[in-house]
Amino acid sequence: MNNTEIGILSLIKSAVTGEKESIPADFDWKSAVEISVKHHTAVLLYYGAYNSGIEIPAPYSAALDKYALNSVQYEAKQKYEAEMVYKAFNDGEIDYLPLKGAVMKKYYPQPEMRYMCDIDMLIKQEQYPDIKAIMESLGFEFVVESNHEYVWKRKYLHIELHKYLIPSYNKDYYEYYGTGWKLAQKKSQSEYELGREDFLIYIFTHLAKHYRDSGVGIKNFADIWIYKRAEKNLDEEYINNELTKLQLCEFYKNSMELLDVWFEGRKSNDMTDFMTKWIFSSGAYGTVENNNLSTALKETKAFKDSGHRQADLYFRKVFLPLEKMKKRYTVLEKAPYLLPVMWAVRIFDVVLFRRKSISENNKRLRELTDENINNYEKALNYVGLDFNFKE
């Protein structure tokens, strides 16, 4: 780890624990703020500096002050709209199970410390007609239906209503979870929750899914550390048994070592340095390059030579599925049978008006060499991950 990375992690630790931490003398505030914004951890940087009595130099102090203030305001607005939805679901006897950030916020000293761009919750698909009516009555606007969720938005809140916990195209993890309702425990009225161990396993599986698909940020790993600090005496035997079924035990072991290096003073090693570099370079949502490589790696299960693989990737970039096409061509909302026609329109649109996009896509596809794809696979295998898809 370099000194800027060490300093960022020290300030995150201070934000969470309230204890004073130090940062290296050559700590680069400019890079630290840029990295933290990219990873949605800038508020943690702000609180960590405050708790540690560290003066943030101008102009970064003004930028972080503004970021923190906006986060407090945004959190209050999100909370209001989320509670409105929870109440409506309870009143309408709609079963729901909050997920990810909506749960993790309560484990942070201040809720605005845990950035959340949307609220995720698991629903029962058979109740969706009633849910749709409720969302419309609350003033939410439908955005899109994807493989595993219905997305709605209002002024300050996006809500992702999950059909199941893990997308079905993540075949190995989906096989374990199914819809996810088998793990649900009733909390109150219509609200459900995952058990303590199952929630940890779920957020770790979600982290692993993103790590191997395109990359994952500091925030998701901090969630694991913060959750385990708060939830004492977890049944580790159960956790390891379930992670074995998910083929995530080795990655879990390496991730726990990483968190000990980041936040508990453990000496780093080649593995933790490798993971730190991967995570810091990923940003909150990974990179396009990693996403292309992971997609190509999955394609090797169907096509063994790069020519067929690249042809398939070209095809899928041109002939987008219906749900993605609806975002670009709204006529498909009312007339989905026009999809073949709109594919032709899309081809002309791209050729005539998006030549730069074509050039960039071609460059990315040229990078999908067998060597690069194999190196991506080796990088995943090194930390204990793979695509364990049964064909």
Side-chain angles (χ1 to χ4, degrees):
M1 289 192 292
N2 63 45
N3 282 344
T4 299
E5 292 168 348
I6 290 170
I8 288 171
L9 295 170
S10 295
L11 293 176
I12 289 174
K13 180 178 180 180
S14 176
V16 173
T17 65
E19 299 171 0
K20 287 189 174 183
E21 298 288 335
S22 60
I23 57 175
D26 60 347
F27 183 70
D28 185 342
W29 276 101
K30 181 178 185 295
S31 293
V33 171
E34 289 174 352
I35 291 168
S36 296
V37 169
K38 189 177 178 182
H39 283 262
H40 297 159
T41 55
V43 177
L44 290 167
L45 202 71
Y46 173 85
Y47 277 106
Y50 177 81
N51 289 344
S52 300
I54 296 172
E55 184 176 352
I56 304 171
Y60 312 115
S61 58
L64 287 176
D65 281 345
K66 183 178 180 181
Y67 196 98
L69 178 60
N70 288 342
S71 295
V72 171
Q73 294 173 337
Y74 194 67
E75 157 63 25
K77 293 169 182 175
Q78 278 190 327
K79 182 180 178 182
Y80 170 79
E81 296 196 345
E83 289 179 349
M84 176 178 66
V85 173
Y86 295 152
K87 183 180 185 303
F89 280 13
N90 284 323
D91 292 345
E93 298 183 349
I94 299 296
D95 296 328
Y96 66 99
L97 193 161
L99 300 168
K100 304 181 210 173
V103 178
M104 278 306 305
K105 276 183 171 290
K106 71 180 182 182
Y107 290 97
Y108 283 72
Q110 302 292 335
E112 67 271 11
M113 290 184 181
R114 178 37 165 94
Y115 176 88
M116 184 177 71
C117 61
D118 49 54
I119 284 185
D120 298 87
M121 65 177 78
L122 182 66
I123 60 160
K124 294 178 177 176
Q125 287 190 70
E126 61 268 26
Q127 292 184 318
Y128 187 67
D130 293 331
I131 292 171
K132 182 174 182 290
I134 289 173
M135 298 301 286
E136 289 173 345
S137 72
L138 294 175
F140 280 85
E141 177 186 346
F142 178 72
V143 179
V144 69
E145 176 183 357
S146 71
N147 165 273
H148 63 291
E149 64 194 4
Y150 305 98
V151 181
W152 291 76
K153 69 176 181 179
R154 200 170 178 270
K155 294 179 181 178
Y156 305 102
L157 190 65
H158 272 71
I159 292 189
E160 296 183 355
L161 302 170
H162 288 246
K163 306 170 188 177
Y164 14 85
L165 288 179
I166 294 289
S168 62
Y169 50 77
N170 289 106
K171 302 174 186 178
D172 43 1
Y173 301 155
Y174 177 77
E175 183 180 0
Y176 174 87
Y177 281 104
T179 65
W181 279 104
K182 64 185 178 182
L183 299 173
Q185 300 176 3
K186 192 158 191 174
K187 184 178 180 181
S188 62
Q189 203 165 341
S190 294
E191 183 179 359
Y192 287 76
E193 63 184 356
L194 297 175
R196 296 195 310 146
E197 289 79 10
D198 285 322
F199 182 76
L200 174 66
I201 294 166
Y202 169 66
I203 60 173
F204 186 74
T205 304
H206 182 259
L207 178 156
K209 175 179 77 73
H210 281 291
Y211 190 107
R212 72 181 187 179
D213 279 352
S214 59
V216 69
I218 300 166
K219 177 186 67 176
N220 297 76
F221 279 89
D223 277 353
I224 302 293
W225 173 64
I226 290 165
Y227 184 80
K228 292 198 75 172
R229 285 185 80 249
E231 295 289 350
K232 306 296 185 184
N233 303 316
L234 291 170
D235 186 343
E236 293 292 341
E237 182 178 358
Y238 173 82
I239 291 169
N240 284 312
N241 285 340
E242 299 309 300
L243 288 174
T244 298
K245 297 175 187 176
L246 285 157
Q247 301 186 61
L248 285 174
C249 256
E250 185 182 354
F251 183 56
Y252 181 71
K253 172 181 170 292
N254 291 330
S255 297
M256 294 308 102
E257 286 186 13
L258 176 75
L259 292 176
D260 282 347
V261 170
W262 280 12
F263 301 120
E264 304 297 342
R266 182 170 180 164
K267 187 176 180 181
S268 64
N269 54 43
D270 289 344
M271 172 64 71
T272 60
D273 283 345
F274 181 88
M275 291 180 70
T276 297
K277 183 178 180 180
W278 182 284
I279 295 160
F280 269 78
S281 65
S282 292
Y285 302 115
T287 67
V288 172
E289 292 75 18
N290 281 352
N291 183 256
N292 287 336
L293 286 167
S294 69
T295 300
L297 178 56
K298 295 173 195 176
E299 293 293 327
T300 61
K301 294 182 178 293
F303 304 114
K304 297 302 181 184
D305 66 275
S306 58
H308 280 97
R309 182 169 55 240
Q310 288 191 340
D312 182 70
L313 288 168
Y314 269 114
F315 182 88
R316 289 192 292 105
K317 281 185 175 293
V318 173
F319 299 101
L320 297 177
L322 177 60
E323 295 307 323
K324 288 189 176 181
M325 287 290 287
K326 283 180 180 178
K327 293 180 181 179
R328 290 171 168 80
Y329 307 102
T330 54
V331 66
L332 291 171
E333 292 285 353
K334 294 183 178 180
Y337 56 84
L338 291 177
L339 179 60
V341 176
M342 300 316 295
W343 276 335
V345 171
R346 170 172 160 72
I347 291 171
F348 281 108
D349 182 29
V350 171
V351 170
L352 291 175
F353 303 110
R354 302 186 187 180
R355 292 187 178 277
K356 183 179 179 182
S357 177
I358 293 174
S359 176
E360 290 173 353
N361 278 328
N362 286 340
K363 179 178 179 294
R364 289 169 184 162
L365 288 169
R366 285 194 298 271
E367 292 170 353
L368 299 180
T369 64
D370 288 337
E371 181 181 6
N372 288 342
I373 294 165
N374 289 336
N375 287 339
Y376 189 83
E377 183 175 24
K378 288 177 183 177
L380 294 183
N381 293 164
Y382 179 57
V383 301
L385 287 174
D386 205 344
F387 293 101
N388 303 299
F389 293 172
K390 297 177 182 177
E391 298 298 331

